Amino acid sequence: MSTDGSGVDDQLRLMAVHAHPDDESSKGAAAMAKYVADGVDVLVVTCTGGERGSVLNKKLDQPEVWANIAEIRREEMDKARAILGIRQNWLGFVDSGLPEGDPLPPLPEGCFALADFDEAVGRLVAEIRTFRPHVMTTYDENGGYPHPHHIMCHKISVAAFDAAGDPDRYPEFGTPWQPLKLYYNMGFNRDRMVALHEGMLAAGIESPYAEWLEKWDDREDHGDRITTRVPAGEYFDVRDEALRAHATQVDPDGWWFKVPLSIQQQVWPTDDFELARSLVDSPLPEDDLFAGVRERVRA
Ligand SMILES: [Zn+2]
């Protein structure tokens, strides 16, 4: 807590809720690094330990990695946390992996998506009342992509945002605290992909997006929901370094790293969000998650 000597707490705090270790480094990570540099206290809450994620890095798809995957993913998260300059807590639920097949197999017993909803919300309410964030981020109702744990992450985040300030809800979990704004990560949209694709073609580089754009289903595009673009291009390198720290989860030769940072910084230098809930006045569109909040906290 930073105070100015008058006992006033004017420290800005941001809480980002994510489903798995590595999500924090691929969704809104550059914006988090920017806020850390600006002196904001940033806490990532990770719902699951990512125990059943796939190993996407061929070099690490080894029996000894699989035997220790939970521990390895905690170590990877520690590295990413240090690179981003954030704090990080585990909510303590177990991962299911991404169910695949037709019909889909049942979710494994005991996993996050099957957890008791009120208990899961309660755990996040306790995190909110301890950290006391002014702003929270999570995924939209589709989870950003349809992983059952991303959707569960969305549901408990919205419910906890609404419950944390209510003294009648979860009275055993601390003093009520009402965050002022809730955002959904909106990094995945067609306009951004087109901009990166065209930027690469203009630079004479093969684009990894051609096939994606051909298959793009416009119903899945939520680009028109973006309310808030946070300039964060300066921190794209920090974001990529944090993502690489999740070594089992990223293919170092994959498409993510194929777009030169200079092109990203030139054609799409923002992390994008949708303002989903707000208790302050801030005209839209915005370029700051704390728009309308700074004034309130410092008043
Ligand atoms: Zn995830």
Side-chain angles (χ1 to χ4, degrees), residues 62-72:
Q62 311 279 355
E64 59 273 25
V65 168
W66 278 111
N68 297 302
I69 191 72
E71 194 188 328
I72 288 170

Side-chain angles (χ1 to χ4, degrees), residues 4 9 15 21 24 60 62 67 87 89 97 110 117 140 164 208 223 230 249 256 259 266 268 271 279 286 289:
D4 58 5
D9 173 17
M15 175 187 279
E24 84 294 330
L60 295 173
Q62 311 279 355
R87 301 201 254 161
N89 287 341
F117 188 72
D140 69 17
V230 178
Q249 301 303 303
W256 179 281
V259 187
Q266 195 190 333
W268 204 278
D271 268 346
L279 285 77
E286 316 161 307
L289 301 181

Side-chain angles (χ1 to χ4, degrees), residues 44-209:
V44 164
V45 175
T46 313
C47 297
T48 78
E51 300 84 352
R52 294 202 184 88
S54 16
V55 172
L56 298 173
N57 183 340
K58 284 197 197 86
K59 290 183 203 96
L60 295 173
D61 195 356
Q62 311 279 355
E64 59 273 25
V65 168
W66 278 111
N68 297 302
I69 191 72
E71 194 188 328
I72 288 170
R73 296 209 65 181
R74 275 196 296 277
E75 289 168 8
E76 291 175 345
M77 184 69 235
D78 277 345
K79 284 185 198 154
R81 176 180 54 67
I83 291 163
L84 292 167
I86 56 169
R87 301 201 254 161
Q88 187 262 345
N89 287 341
W90 302 99
L91 210 54
F93 290 98
V94 176
D95 188 20
S96 69
L98 179 60
E100 283 173 300
D102 188 13
L104 287 173
L107 287 163
E109 206 176 313
C111 78
F112 177 45
L114 300 178
D116 180 80
F117 188 72
D118 287 338
E119 190 208 326
V121 174
R123 287 196 205 179
L124 189 53
V125 164
E127 292 287 337
I128 292 169
R129 288 178 180 171
T130 302
F131 182 63
R132 305 190 302 151
H134 303 96
V135 174
M136 285 176 64
T137 69
T138 186
Y139 313 133
D140 69 17
E141 66 285 357
N142 305 300
Y145 86 114
H147 187 301
H149 285 172
H150 283 228
I151 292 168
M152 184 69 164
C153 176
H154 159 80
K155 287 182 179 164
I156 70 161
S157 300
V158 173
F161 182 94
D162 291 339
D166 183 344
D168 295 332
R169 305 283 310 278
Y170 304 99
E172 68 277 30
F173 289 150
T175 308
W177 175 265
Q178 180 59 60
L180 298 172
K181 288 168 118 180
L182 175 69
Y183 287 95
Y184 298 156
N185 291 289
M186 283 283 150
F188 198 74
N189 64 80
R190 189 172 193 280
D191 286 349
R192 176 171 178 271
M193 203 175 279
V194 168
L196 294 171
H197 176 69
E198 288 176 353
M200 288 186 79
L201 296 183
I205 309 168
E206 197 190 339
S207 163
Y209 295 112

Side-chain angles (χ1 to χ4, degrees), residues 19-20 22-23 145 150:
H20 307 108
D22 75 59
D23 285 321
Y145 86 114
H150 283 228

Side-chain angles (χ1 to χ4, degrees), residues 30-53:
M32 285 200 299
K34 171 210 164 84
Y35 283 115
V36 168
D38 288 349
V40 175
D41 196 357
V42 180
L43 173 69
V44 164
V45 175
T46 313
C47 297
T48 78
E51 300 84 352
R52 294 202 184 88

Side-chain angles (χ1 to χ4, degrees), residues 229-243:
R229 296 177 191 273
V230 178
E234 256 182 272
Y235 298 93
F236 285 172
D237 58 338
V238 180
R239 173 201 65 195
D240 284 2
E241 205 192 325
L243 193 59

